[in-house]
Amino acid sequence: MKSIVVYCGANPGINPIYAQQAYRLGEVLAAKGIRVIYGGGNLGLMGKVANGAIENEGAVTGIIPNFLAKLEVAHQTLTELHLVDTMHERKAKMVAVSDAVIALPGGYGTFDELFEILTWSQLKIFTGPIGLLNTNGYYDLLLQQLDKMVEEGFLQPHNRSLLLVDSDIEGLLIQMESHIARVGGNKNLDRSLYVDDGDGSTP
């Protein structure tokens, strides 16, 4: 893995462990020479991940819509910062330049990004590993819901297994590397399948 998209909250959460783990993830990815691709913000867990990488000589690419950058929430010390027009364009571009995805705790936006990439993986539009860093048991109830979806016949077991889960950063990265070895690398399909061309056809 040369680059990983990180989805996470623009808030830090109440428990300081969330910010600590976010910073630590950036630090670990920097040490491994893995570029962080994220939403370009300087607030909450987003800012912590970026700072963790930057302050440890890692590379960080931020992708942020113009309207958010104008609200002065864009991080100013990234390796690269790309401005885009829409949230759809942001999400597509983040995935297009990445080998894998990790989701940290977050709110609506993080859930939206996580379930969209899981849907793309189910459809084989994206074939890289998708990891969930379950810090402090944040996603325990969500994981129970996924199991309920399998139990009730709305989610196939092999699609349930697309989400790799660990509460430990190193353990999660090991699972993700194993996924890549299993599928023979990240073989994402034609970028045109998931980059918005402006006609509203993005999956």
Side-chain angles (χ1 to χ4, degrees), residues 5-11 39 46 68 87 90-91 94 101-117 138-139:
V5 171
V6 179
Y7 300 145
C8 58
N11 290 299
M46 295 176 70
L68 286 180
M87 295 291 283
R90 174 206 229 176
K91 290 189 291 184
M94 287 167 68
V101 169
I102 291 178
L104 306 187
Y108 284 155
T110 302
F111 276 59
D112 169 59
E113 291 167 326
L114 174 62
F115 278 100
E116 182 167 62
I117 197 64
Y138 182 77
Y139 283 112

Side-chain angles (χ1 to χ4, degrees), residues 14 27 35-36 50 60 74 81 107 112 127 150 171 179 193:
I14 294 173
E27 186 177 37
R35 177 180 288 268
V36 172
V60 182
L81 180 65
D112 169 59
T127 60
V150 173
H179 170 95
L193 290 172

Side-chain angles (χ1 to χ4, degrees), residues 137-148:
Y138 182 77
Y139 283 112
D140 285 354
L141 294 177
L142 174 64
L143 297 173
Q144 289 180 34
Q145 177 62 43
L146 297 183
D147 292 337
K148 181 68 171 177

Side-chain angles (χ1 to χ4, degrees), residues 13-177:
I14 294 173
N15 192 324
I17 193 173
Y18 298 122
Q20 292 165 5
Q21 279 287 79
Y23 184 93
R24 176 64 181 152
L25 176 62
E27 186 177 37
V28 169
L29 295 181
K32 292 179 177 294
I34 299 173
R35 177 180 288 268
V36 172
I37 312 293
Y38 86 120
N42 64 0
L43 303 176
L45 300 191
M46 295 176 70
K48 292 295 184 182
V49 172
N51 290 340
I54 292 167
E55 292 171 10
N56 290 279
E57 301 182 351
V60 182
T61 296
I63 301 171
I64 190 169
N66 285 299
F67 78 92
L68 286 180
K70 290 175 182 177
L71 295 175
E72 300 183 342
V73 296
H75 202 297
Q76 299 301 311
T77 60
L78 304 178
T79 311
E80 298 177 335
L81 180 65
H82 299 278
L83 299 176
V84 295
D85 292 326
T86 68
M87 295 291 283
H88 288 295
E89 187 180 355
R90 174 206 229 176
K91 290 189 291 184
K93 189 173 180 68
M94 287 167 68
V95 173
V97 297
S98 298
D99 301 316
V101 169
I102 291 178
L104 306 187
Y108 284 155
T110 302
F111 276 59
D112 169 59
E113 291 167 326
L114 174 62
F115 278 100
E116 182 167 62
I117 197 64
L118 283 170
T119 302
W120 292 3
S121 184
Q122 180 175 281
L123 295 173
K124 296 182 171 54
I125 296 171
F126 178 79
T127 60
I130 302 170
L132 190 71
L133 188 61
N134 191 23
T135 301
N136 196 39
Y138 182 77
Y139 283 112
D140 285 354
L141 294 177
L142 174 64
L143 297 173
Q144 289 180 34
Q145 177 62 43
L146 297 183
D147 292 337
K148 181 68 171 177
M149 292 160 68
V150 173
E151 180 184 333
E152 297 293 343
F154 289 99
L155 181 65
Q156 295 298 316
H158 65 275
N159 289 325
R160 167 68 177 85
S161 68
L162 293 171
L163 184 62
L164 309 174
V165 184
D166 208 307
S167 60
D168 175 73
I169 294 170
E170 293 287 357
L172 185 60
L173 291 173
I174 288 170
Q175 287 191 62
M176 294 170 73
E177 290 286 3

